[in-house]
Amino acid sequence: MLFVSPLTHKTEPELMFPFNKIFKERLRLGTPDLINGLQALGYEVWVYTSSFRSERYIRTLFRLYKVKFDGIINGNRHLREVQKDHKETLPQKLPNRYRISLHVDDETVICSWGREYGFNTYQLEAQDDDWKDKIIARAEEIRGKSEP
């Protein structure tokens, strides 16, 4: 969702040398603005990835884009804390286990698990110039439903 190909999506500028050699991924254009904007509105923002990139790698990459996350869950943490001793295989992401109120993803299967496992999702489309506004609107909608 956050990492995209510049061949198919508008992206943030490539990092300066030598960081662009260490961090080859490109961020979807507007990612830092969205995350910082959500935090300014009082939301916690977490990364929940099924990849096995280290938390340190993810934290450092985003700091270079002036983004700081409130929490990071990678594939290792998910296996350790969510899947742990369950005999049945659980979905690769269960954001409600971390009290995450909205999970944004580009994978249809992840978003369908939201309905089955009880978490709110927003599915990103391939290239959408209004994606940030739509996510903020969805977050505000969920926040409004949870307030008395």
Side-chain angles (χ1 to χ4, degrees), residues 8-67:
T8 58
H9 292 76
K10 295 176 183 176
T11 62
E12 290 292 321
E14 185 177 39
L15 293 170
M16 301 289 287
F17 181 83
F19 300 113
N20 63 343
K21 301 301 179 194
I22 300 166
F23 302 101
K24 297 181 187 304
E25 293 95 344
R26 298 291 294 277
L27 294 182
R28 182 185 294 261
L29 183 65
T31 297
D33 289 341
L34 172 65
I35 295 166
N36 291 325
L38 285 167
Q39 289 170 329
L41 290 170
Y43 292 97
E44 283 189 12
V45 180
W46 289 51
V47 170
Y48 198 147
T49 178
S50 54
S51 85
F52 291 90
R53 293 177 189 94
S54 72
E55 290 183 40
R56 180 178 177 203
Y57 178 91
I58 294 167
R59 189 176 303 106
T60 303
L61 168 61
F62 281 92
R63 277 193 185 146
L64 291 168
Y65 282 100
K66 309 283 190 269
V67 171

Side-chain angles (χ1 to χ4, degrees), residues 42-143:
Y43 292 97
E44 283 189 12
V45 180
W46 289 51
V47 170
Y48 198 147
T49 178
S50 54
S51 85
F52 291 90
R53 293 177 189 94
S54 72
E55 290 183 40
R56 180 178 177 203
Y57 178 91
I58 294 167
R59 189 176 303 106
T60 303
L61 168 61
F62 281 92
R63 277 193 185 146
L64 291 168
Y65 282 100
K66 309 283 190 269
V67 171
K68 184 178 177 186
F69 287 107
D70 296 291
I72 298 173
I73 303 144
N74 63 7
N76 288 321
R77 183 172 175 187
H78 172 86
L79 289 174
R80 187 175 64 247
E81 296 177 2
V82 178
Q83 184 62 47
K84 47 184 174 179
D85 298 328
H86 289 91
K87 288 182 173 46
E88 77 282 4
T89 301
L90 296 174
Q92 64 193 39
K93 296 176 185 173
L94 282 176
N96 50 346
R97 298 284 173 102
Y98 294 94
R99 300 180 50 154
I100 294 171
S101 58
L102 174 62
H103 179 77
V104 178
D105 213 295
D106 60 353
E107 292 188 51
T108 302
V109 68
I110 303 286
C111 292
S112 70
W113 287 335
R115 288 183 292 280
E116 185 176 343
Y117 288 90
F119 57 90
N120 294 303
T121 63
Y122 177 86
Q123 185 170 354
L124 282 173
E125 301 300 324
Q127 174 58 48
D128 180 358
D129 291 339
D130 299 321
W131 72 285
K132 297 180 301 182
D133 295 332
K134 291 175 181 176
I135 290 170
I136 289 171
R138 180 77 172 114
E140 293 284 276
E141 174 189 330
I142 292 167
R143 178 188 270 172

